[in-house]
Amino acid sequence: MQVAFSADERRVAEQPYYLASGDEVEVFQAAHRQRLPLMLKGPTGCGKTRLVEHMAARLGLQLITIACHEDITAADLVGRYLLHGGETVWVDGPLTRAVRRGAICYLDEVVEARADTTVVIHPLADHRRELNLERLNETLHAPDDFMLVVSYNPGYQSVLKDLKQSTRQRMVGIELGYPVAERELRILVRESGIDEARAMELVKLAHAIRKLDASMLPDVCSTRTLVSTARLMCEGLSARAAAMAAMLLPLCDDAEVVRGLREVVNTYLPQ
Amino acid sequence: MQVAFSADERRVAEQPYYLASGDEVEVFQAAHRQRLPLMLKGPTGCGKTRLVEHMAARLGLQLITIACHEDITAADLVGRYLLHGGETVWVDGPLTRAVRRGAICYLDEVVEARADTTVVIHPLADHRRELNLERLNETLHAPDDFMLVVSYNPGYQSVLKDLKQSTRQRMVGIELGYPVAERELRILVRESGIDEARAMELVKLAHAIRKLDASMLPDVCSTRTLVSTARLMCEGLSARAAAMAAMLLPLCDDAEVVRGLREVVNTYLPQ
Amino acid sequence: MQVAFSADERRVAEQPYYLASGDEVEVFQAAHRQRLPLMLKGPTGCGKTRLVEHMAARLGLQLITIACHEDITAADLVGRYLLHGGETVWVDGPLTRAVRRGAICYLDEVVEARADTTVVIHPLADHRRELNLERLNETLHAPDDFMLVVSYNPGYQSVLKDLKQSTRQRMVGIELGYPVAERELRILVRESGIDEARAMELVKLAHAIRKLDASMLPDVCSTRTLVSTARLMCEGLSARAAAMAAMLLPLCDDAEVVRGLREVVNTYLPQ
Amino acid sequence: MQVAFSADERRVAEQPYYLASGDEVEVFQAAHRQRLPLMLKGPTGCGKTRLVEHMAARLGLQLITIACHEDITAADLVGRYLLHGGETVWVDGPLTRAVRRGAICYLDEVVEARADTTVVIHPLADHRRELNLERLNETLHAPDDFMLVVSYNPGYQSVLKDLKQSTRQRMVGIELGYPVAERELRILVRESGIDEARAMELVKLAHAIRKLDASMLPDVCSTRTLVSTARLMCEGLSARAAAMAAMLLPLCDDAEVVRGLREVVNTYLPQ
Amino acid sequence: MQVAFSADERRVAEQPYYLASGDEVEVFQAAHRQRLPLMLKGPTGCGKTRLVEHMAARLGLQLITIACHEDITAADLVGRYLLHGGETVWVDGPLTRAVRRGAICYLDEVVEARADTTVVIHPLADHRRELNLERLNETLHAPDDFMLVVSYNPGYQSVLKDLKQSTRQRMVGIELGYPVAERELRILVRESGIDEARAMELVKLAHAIRKLDASMLPDVCSTRTLVSTARLMCEGLSARAAAMAAMLLPLCDDAEVVRGLREVVNTYLPQ
Amino acid sequence: MQVAFSADERRVAEQPYYLASGDEVEVFQAAHRQRLPLMLKGPTGCGKTRLVEHMAARLGLQLITIACHEDITAADLVGRYLLHGGETVWVDGPLTRAVRRGAICYLDEVVEARADTTVVIHPLADHRRELNLERLNETLHAPDDFMLVVSYNPGYQSVLKDLKQSTRQRMVGIELGYPVAERELRILVRESGIDEARAMELVKLAHAIRKLDASMLPDVCSTRTLVSTARLMCEGLSARAAAMAAMLLPLCDDAEVVRGLREVVNTYLPQ
C-alpha cells in the first residue's frame, strides 16, 4: 500500500518575522536546551507553524515538517525498504532523517496519525532519546540539537482521537491563541499590503465575530482569513464582498448563521 | 489495490456560455490573481462545473477535473510508481500534472475523498504553494497560474464527512444557487432547442417545486433535470410524461410524494 | 484481491416478447435518441431486465449486463492490468467494452456497487459522455448509440445504500410494476405452457396476496414466482403444493404468516 | 489472501436411506425437471443434507457441497488463477465444476457467504442458466442436469444476514422439520444400534424438550443429538449421563436452564 | 499476511496426574470410541488442558494443541502453500497433521477463532469425518483414533462470539468446575511443595472468595493462582503478601474491590 | 505490510537507582526464582520501567523492551521470514531473542497489542514455558532465567481493551503508585539538579493536585512532569511558568480546569 504524505524539509534561511505574545520563545528555548519535546496547542491559523519556523531559524536548525493524517504509520516516519532497480534499498523516513541530522522534527496535528506512531515517539521523548530502527538492527541516539515538536488543536479533539497521558506527560506545553488587535493589525498590513485604516476595520470585525456565542459557530475567523480578505480587497473587491468570500463562506455552511454574520459584517465594514 | 478515478483533462478551447448571477466571476479572478484556492458551494446541477469551465477558458488555463470518492487517496492525486515492462516508472497523478503545467485543478465533491488528501492540499493551499513528492524526493513550487478549486454540496454534508476548518480557512468561498427564472429560461432554450413558451412553463413548474416544504423532498429539481425534460419533449413526449420521467422519478422514490408532485405538474403543464 | 462478477454480454438476436404497460418504450427510445442515461425502478421479477433485452433488440444494440454487488469497484467496470505469461496486459472492463462498441451497458441493482463506481458513471452520464481510462492515459468519447441503463428496487433502499441526487438527476426515470391481470395471464401461459383456466386462478391468487397489508410481508409475489408455480404444476404437483413451494416458502420465513397465506391459497386454488 | 473451504465432491454411490415426511421428494424432482433452483429451509440436524444426498443418488447425479461462511467469495465458487511452478493456471471452483459436469451444487447455509456470491448465482438461477467466467472470457451454459440447491436455517437469520427477495424468488422452497416420533425412532435404532425400548424413551424426551418455551432455550434438540446420546449409551453410559453429555450440554450454557432440563431428563429416563 | 499461532504437538509420554471429579473420563472414552467430537466447558485454570493431556496419555494418542484467537483462519488449521527457496511447498496445518496421524486435535478457546474455521470442522465432526484439502485436491478420511476436542469458557461468551448450534450439536459435552476442597489441597501440595496446613488455609480462602457476589468480581480465583501463591510462599513471602501478588492483583483492578478482598485474605491467612 | 516497533535491547550495565516503596523488589525476585511471569500495574510516569531496569541489573539479566500498540501482532514478537538479497531469511523477533538468551522480556502497555499476541504468551506463561516457532518447526524451552514482564495502566483500560482472565491469572501482580513526598523530593533533586527548597515546593504542589477531585482531571501529575518542571526552572524560567508549561498544559486541555489549576500553582509556588 502506498501512503503519500508531505515531509517539508528545509533549513529556514531567513528568520521569519514573529512577534511573541507571551513567553513562548523562552519556553521553546528552555525545552530545547533541556532536550525536552514540545507540544504546541492552539486554534487553526494562529501561527503555530510560524513559531516553529521562527525558532528553527533562531536556533540555526533544519526543520522537517510532517503533516499527520490517519494513514500515517510508524513506518512512514521511520523509513522502509523499497525496491529500486531490483534491489531493496532502505530509505530513511523524515523522523529518522531529523534524528540523524539533529533537526527539529515537527509533527503537525499529531493526533491524526495512527496509534503506532506514538511507539516510535516514546523512547525519543524521554530520557533515552533513542530511535529504534528495528529493520536495520540499529538504534540511533539523538544528538543534543534534535528536537521533537508536535502540534494539535484542542478544539478538534474527540474521545476517539486524543493523545494518551503517557505521551502528553513526556512533553512541555505551549498554548497559542489569536494575536491581540494591535499585533494582528501589523500582520495584516505586512502580509497583504492593505492600508492601516482598512486593516483596522477588519481586525475589529474579527474580534466582534470571535466574541459571538461559540455554540453558534463551528469555529472563529483565523488571522489567516483576515489576510485573505485584505488581499481580495487589494484586487478591487469591496470590503463586504471580500469578507463574505474569505471570512464568512469558509467559516460556515448554515444559511441562517451566514445571514447573521453578514449583518455583523455590514456593521463593521463600509459598503 | 487498484483505484480507478476520472481525471478529466482538457484545455477548454471555446469559452462556455456562462451568465453570472452575482460577483462569482470577480471573486474567482481576484482569488486567481492572489494565488488563493477556491471553494465552490452549491446544490447539484446548479452550474459549479460550468463556472469552472468558463473561468478556465477566460483565464486561458488548462482544466484538470478529479471527481472525488471515498477510495481516492493522496497517492491517486500525487502519483505513484507503476510497473511497466519490468521497470518501475513514476507516473504523475492529476494534481501533480496540474501543478507542473500551471493548470486549474478542480476537485469535485472534495469531502468524499479520503482524509490523507487534505495533507497534500494543505501546503499547496497556503503561502507555501508547494507539492511534496516524497517518493521522488522532490518538492514542486506551484507556478502563479496554478489554482486549486474544490466544490462541495453543503446539503450533503454530515458530521462524518466534512472539511476541517484548517482546510476551509485556507480557501476563498463562492456560493452558487439555481438561476433566477429569466436566466433559467434562456439556458433551457439554448441547451434543448425547445420554444420559449414551453420552456417558461417548465421554469414555472421548477420554481413551484423548489418552494415546496423541504422536509417532504430529498432535494429539489436542478436546472439539469429541466433541460432533460425539455429534450424529451423535443422527441415528442408530452410535457407531463417528460416531466414525470426526467424531473419527478429521478427526484424521489416515495409513491405518495410522487403523486403529490404529479398534481403540481398537472397544474403547470398542459395535458 | 480478486473480484468475480458477471458481465453478461450478448447481442439479443430475436426480439424478446414484451408487452408495454405504459409509455416505457417511448421514454426509453426518447432517452436513447437524446443520449440521456436511464434509471429503471421497480420490484423484483417485474420485468426490468426483460424490458432492457427487448429494447436492445429493437434498437439493434448489443447488451452488456453487470450485476452489481458491494465488492464491485470502478476498476471492475473500467478494466485493469492483468499479468498474462509474465506480461502485463490491459483488459477492458465491461463498461469500457460497452462504450467502445456503442452498446447498452446495464448496471443491475446499481446501488449495491461501491461508491467509486459513480465517479466513472458521472462524466458518462452528462453532456460530456466521456469515459476516462486514467491507466491508459486515454479518454473515450461514447458513440451516439452507447446508452447507460441502471436499475434498482426502491423497496430495498436504505439510508446507507442510496443513489446520490447528483447521480439520480443525471438520469431519466422509468417506473415499472407488476403487469395487470390480463397481461400477467398471457405471460404465464406463454412461459409455462399451463392452460388459461389454471393460469387465471394463479393470477387471481397473486393479486389477492399483493393486496395484503404490506407490513405483514417482506415483499409480494413476483410474476416470476407465478411462472415457477405454473411450471411445477405442469410436472404434476397440485396447485396448492406448487404455490406453497414456489410462491409462499420463497416469500417468507415467518410460520404464522405462511399459515395465513396458506389459507389465502386454499381459497383461490382447488385442492 | 488464502481462503480455505470445504467442497465435498462425490457421486453418492449407494442411495442413502431417507424416509420422506411430506412431498419433499416430489417437489425436488419437479424442480429438477423444470431446471429450477431449490431452497431447503429447516433447523439444524433435521436432515437437509441427508435429503440432498438421497436425491443425488436417486437422480444419478454427482453432489458437490460447499459449506458457506463469511469469507466465501464469488471467486471461491467460480475459480481463480493460481501460481503453479511459475505458471499461472486457472483452477475451476466447485460451482464451475458442478456446472461443467451437470452435478448438484449444494450451498450449505448460503446466507453466511459474502454478498458477491449472489451475483454469480443469479444468472444461473433464472431462465438464463449461465455462469459467467469473466476471467476466462467464457460463459458456461448449464446442462439440464445441473441443479443449484441452497439451504439455510430461518431460525438463525438476522436483519444483517438474509437472502434478498430477488434471490429467494428465483427458487423453489422445501421446508423440513424434525421427524415425527415413529420415524425418529426408526432413525435412532438404525444409526446407533440401540434397542427400540430405550430409543423410544429418548424420542419421548426429545419431544418433551421441543415443546418447552422457545424463549428459554437457544434451540431444541436435533435428531443428531439423539443419535449421539444413543451411541454413548451403547458404550455403557447411563441414559441420564449420555443425555446430559450429548443433548443438554451442547444445547445450552445457562446453568439454571440446564438444571431445569435435567429434571425433564430425570422424568423421562431411568436412573 | 503472516499469522503466528502456537500448535503444541507432543505425545504425552508420562500420564499426567488427574483426579476425576465426575464421569468426565468415562464420557471422554465413550466419545472417543464412538468417534464423536468433544466440547469441554469450564472456567479458566480449572484443568481442561490437564484433562486432555491425561486422556491423550491414557489413550496412547499424540496431542496437538491450537490456541485459538481472532486471527486464526481455516488456512492456519488446514495448511497452505509457502515459498521455500523459490519453490512453493505445501505445509500441513496442525489440524491436517492430527488427522493424518490419528491424533487428538485440541482447539483451545475455539470461539475466538474466525468463522471460517467452523467450516473445516463441520465435515470432520459428523458422520463423514472428512477433511477437505481443497488446495491439494484431496480429501482425508480421519482414522478411528483421530479425535477433535474443543474447549471454551461459557463465562466469556458474548452474543458476538458464540458457537453456532449447528456446531455445538455435533459435539458431546463435558462440564468442569474447580475441584472440591480436599482435591484442591492435594493439587496444591503436589504442585508447589507447600505443607498441608498452609495449603488448607489457601484452599479455604479460595472457597470463601468463590462464594462472594459474582457481580462484584470479574472472575474467581482459579486453582492455578492458588498454586502460584503457594510457590511465592515457598520463596519466603508471607502468606498475605503472596496472596496479594498471585491471587488478588491478577484478579481485579478496582481499588475498592481489592481492599475488600484484602480483608477476606486477612481473615483467612496469618500475618 | 510493514510494522515498526521499538524493541529496546540492552544489558543494563550500571544498576539504576531505585528506592522501593513496598515489597515490589521481593515479589519480583520470588517470581523470577519460581519462573512465574509478572504483571506491573500503575499510572503513567510512576517508575514501572525504572523498576524493571533496576531488577534486570540486579539479577544480571539482559532487558528487551517492546512498546505495544494496536498494530503489534504475534509475528512482530516471534519473528518472520524477510527477503534479503533474494534470499528468505528468518529473523527472530524480540520475544524469541529474549527466550533464546534467557533475558527479561518487557511488554510495555501489553493490552494495546493485538489479540493474537496473548496466544504466544500463554504457553510461555504457564508450566510449559514454551515458545512455538511454527514457521521454523521448532519449539523453544525457555531457560530458567527467562522472565516475562508486562505492564499496564488500569486507569486506561476499557471494556474493549482488557487482558483476559486466562492471561491475568497466569501472572503475579505488583502494583505501583507515585512515591511518597520525601522519596519524590530525592528523585527531583537527583534528576534535575534543582535545590531542595524549590524541589519541596514542587512536590507539595504535585500532592495538592493529586488530591483534587478525580472527575475534574483526566489524570494527575506524574513524577516525570515534576522533573521536567524542575529542569525548565534550571534554565531560568520562573517556577510558575515552568509548572504551567511542564505540568498543567500537558495534563489537560480544558481552559476552565487549567485556570483552576493555575490558582493552585499560584498558592504553592512563588511568583
Side-chain angles (χ1 to χ4, degrees), chain D residues 148-167:
Chain D
L148 183 69
V149 182
V150 308
S151 79
Y152 82 108
N153 184 338
Y156 296 171
Q157 304 324 116
S158 64
V159 176
L160 285 174
K161 285 196 172 177
D162 203 356
L163 287 176
K164 288 193 292 183
Q165 283 285 333
S166 56
T167 306

Side-chain angles (χ1 to χ4, degrees), chain B residues 38-63:
Chain B
L38 199 70
M39 170 177 20
L40 297 180
K41 302 194 214 178
T44 187
C46 74
K48 296 190 292 291
T49 299
R50 190 62 67 108
L51 170 61
V52 178
E53 290 179 336
H54 177 79
M55 292 306 299
R58 194 158 174 158
L59 296 168
L61 298 175
Q62 191 183 353
L63 174 63

Side-chain angles (χ1 to χ4, degrees), chain D residues 17 50 185-194 223 227 230-231, chain E residues 34 127:
Chain D
Y17 174 77
R50 190 63 65 110
L185 174 75
R186 270 198 272 164
I187 293 172
L188 271 193
V189 170
R190 186 188 166 96
E191 302 279 328
S192 71
I194 204 173
T223 305
V227 173
R231 286 169 66 183
Chain E
Q34 285 289 332
H127 65 285

Side-chain angles (χ1 to χ4, degrees), chain A residues 1 23 26-27 29-36 39 41 73-75 78-82 87-88 90 114-120 122-123 125-128 130 132-135 137 139 141 152-154 157 162 164-175, chain F residues 1-10 44 49-50 53 65 67-71 76 80 82-85 92-94 97 108-109 112 156 178 192 218-225 228-229 231-232 234-235 237 241 244-246 248-254 258:
Chain A
M1 201 179 71
D23 59 2
E26 288 73 32
V27 174
Q29 280 177 324
H32 179 255
R33 279 196 300 263
Q34 286 289 331
R35 297 172 305 284
L36 292 168
M39 170 179 17
K41 301 194 216 177
T73 64
V78 170
R80 50 165 58 93
Y81 282 105
L82 293 179
E87 295 289 304
T88 49
W90 172 264
R114 290 252 307 263
D116 64 347
T117 57
T118 63
V119 168
V120 178
H122 274 199
D126 59 23
H127 65 285
R128 290 174 288 177
E130 286 175 1
N132 293 292
L133 304 175
E134 175 71 15
R135 308 258 157 175
N137 205 9
T139 296
H141 292 269
Y152 81 109
N153 184 338
Q157 303 326 112
D162 203 357
K164 289 194 292 185
Q165 282 286 331
S166 57
T167 306
R168 295 172 69 107
Q169 297 210 5
R170 279 171 158 84
M171 311 224 172
V172 168
I174 288 177
E175 190 160 31
Chain F
M1 201 179 70
Q2 295 187 27
V3 180
F5 61 95
S6 72
D8 175 26
E9 305 176 17
R10 47 179 176 174
T44 187
T49 299
R50 190 61 68 109
E53 289 179 337
T65 299
C68 298
H69 59 83
E70 63 193 34
D71 290 326
D76 292 315
R80 51 165 58 93
L82 292 180
L83 287 170
H84 276 296
D92 278 348
R97 284 196 300 267
D108 196 14
E109 300 206 35
E112 300 293 330
Y156 295 171
Y178 293 117
S192 71
D219 206 332
V220 296
C221 301
S222 65
T223 305
R224 172 179 283 141
T225 64
S228 294
T229 304
R231 284 168 68 183
L232 291 183
C234 294
E235 291 296 332
L237 288 190
M244 185 70 186
L248 303 198
L249 287 175
L251 186 60
C252 171
D253 292 333
D254 186 310
V258 170

